[in-house]
């Protein structure tokens, strides 16, 4: 069964460093998403991406964040200058022409 | 804010049916109800979704009330592996189909 994959599974970085989180959505899916979950808190929407552009972003998704679909298969989330409060699980999701989003296993980001 | 409310926690005996309620009184006519679960910090796992009619798949059944203001997820024979946080989500029909997660119901299946 097709699934969303994410790399790396864990990432440790120093405050102020740039990180890139990678996702391979399900083939033929058209809509792509990033969500995050701070430890012990709710899953929060960050951004949606469709037709090679951001279709919606939340207040969390400020200028430090960017997304890209560089090669037609990968979908990346870049955090330009990480802060301590960026420590969280980051989930990628994708959706095809149906109604359902499918989530990846997540990347655990720890900013020291 | 999430458009759904769920009890924070529930227990269920192994082998029994787990019935997880969800209120979504402000749901619009073209919004779907989705159920996902999250085991530990893994990615949310899709379970089932519906619009108006009751739905059943290999994992669960979804019962939606006639006025669509509430629904119930039924796990017919709960196992220890069903211990998870269950999220009821109403699709945010803004065109991007983003999900707004609530705090969910923490289901504990007891041996």
């Amino acid at each position: 069964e097709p699934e969303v994959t994410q790399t790396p599974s864990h990432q440790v970085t120093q405050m102020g460093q740039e990180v890139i989180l990678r996702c391979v959505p399900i083939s033929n899916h058209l809509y792509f998403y990033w969500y995050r979950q701070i430890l012990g808190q709710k899953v929060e929407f960050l951004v949606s991406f469709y037709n090679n552009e951001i279709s919606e972003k939340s207040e969390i998704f400020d200028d430090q964040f960017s997304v890209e679909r560089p090669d037609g298969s990968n979908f990346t989330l870049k955090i330009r200058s990480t802060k301590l409060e960026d420590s969280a699980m980051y989930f990628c999701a994708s959706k095809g022409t149906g109604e359902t989003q499918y989530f990846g296993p997540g990347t655990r980001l720890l900013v020291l | 804010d999430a458009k759904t409310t769920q009890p924070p926690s529930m227990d269920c005996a192994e082998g029994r049916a787990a019935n997880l309620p969800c209120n979504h009184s402000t749901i619009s006519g073209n919004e779907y109800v989705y159920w996902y679960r999250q085991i530990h910090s893994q990615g949310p796992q899709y379970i089932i979704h519906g619009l108006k009619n009751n739905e059943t798949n290999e994992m669960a059944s979804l019962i939606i009330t006639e006025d669509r203001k509430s629904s119930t997820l039924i796990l017919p024979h709960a196992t220890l592996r069903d211990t998870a946080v269950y999220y009821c989500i109403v699709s945010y029909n803004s065109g991007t189909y983003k999900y707004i997660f609530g705090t969910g119901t923490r289901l504990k299946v007891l041996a």
Side-chain angles (χ1 to χ4, degrees):
Chain A
E1 186 175 317
E3 57 184 23
V4 177
T5 59
Q6 291 185 241
T7 54
S9 58
H10 294 78
Q11 174 94 46
V12 181
T13 189
Q14 296 291 324
M15 190 170 55
Q17 295 295 304
E18 175 184 287
V19 294
I20 297 176
L21 309 183
R22 291 183 168 80
C23 168
V24 179
I26 293 172
S27 178
N28 297 325
H29 275 193
L30 305 172
Y31 297 82
F32 312 107
Y33 307 84
W34 284 101
Y35 294 81
R36 80 170 186 191
Q37 186 176 32
I38 294 171
L39 186 64
Q41 298 187 22
K42 295 187 290 187
V43 177
E44 300 173 288
F45 167 78
L46 290 179
V47 65
S48 60
F49 191 86
Y50 171 72
N51 201 26
N52 283 319
E53 61 183 23
I54 290 174
S55 46
E56 187 171 353
K57 58 185 180 180
S58 72
E59 291 178 354
I60 303 167
F61 195 89
D62 62 22
D63 292 343
Q64 294 299 314
F65 292 87
S66 61
V67 289
E68 195 177 32
R69 191 158 157 79
D71 55 13
S73 61
N74 289 285
F75 180 51
T76 62
L77 174 69
K78 181 193 289 187
I79 309 175
R80 214 176 326 275
S81 177
T82 50
K83 308 185 195 74
L84 297 176
E85 54 264 37
D86 294 328
S87 295
M89 285 289 291
Y90 288 81
F91 298 109
C92 172
S94 70
K95 185 183 89 69
T97 53
E99 300 90 21
T100 306
Q101 292 181 34
Y102 294 91
F103 286 78
T107 293
R108 184 180 297 279
L109 176 65
L110 178 61
V111 182
L112 302 176
Chain B
D1 288 345
K3 299 176 73 173
T4 62
T5 55
Q6 299 177 252
S9 64
M10 292 181 66
D11 290 342
C12 177
E14 190 178 20
R16 304 297 294 268
N19 296 281
L20 292 91
C22 179
N23 286 323
H24 32 80
S25 58
T26 61
I27 193 169
S28 301
N30 58 352
E31 291 181 317
Y32 285 80
V33 179
Y34 297 84
W35 284 84
Y36 284 77
R37 71 182 182 185
Q38 189 177 27
I39 298 171
H40 298 300
S41 295
Q42 297 175 21
Q45 178 190 20
Y46 167 75
I47 301 172
I48 199 167
H49 75 286
L51 184 62
K52 295 180 187 176
N53 300 320
N54 298 338
E55 302 287 344
T56 294
N57 63 20
E58 64 277 4
M59 288 181 72
S61 295
L62 173 60
I63 309 297
I64 302 174
T65 57
E66 195 168 335
D67 62 9
R68 304 213 320 126
K69 292 185 177 182
S70 65
S71 61
T72 301
L73 177 74
I74 301 172
L75 307 177
H77 305 286
T79 70
L80 298 178
R81 286 178 296 180
D82 292 323
T83 293
V85 178
Y86 287 76
Y87 298 101
C88 167
I89 301 166
V90 168
S91 63
Y92 198 81
N93 198 17
S94 66
T96 63
Y97 309 100
K98 70 180 182 187
Y99 288 164
I100 304 296
F101 284 78
T103 51
T105 295
R106 186 173 296 276
L107 175 69
K108 189 172 181 181
V109 180
L110 306 171

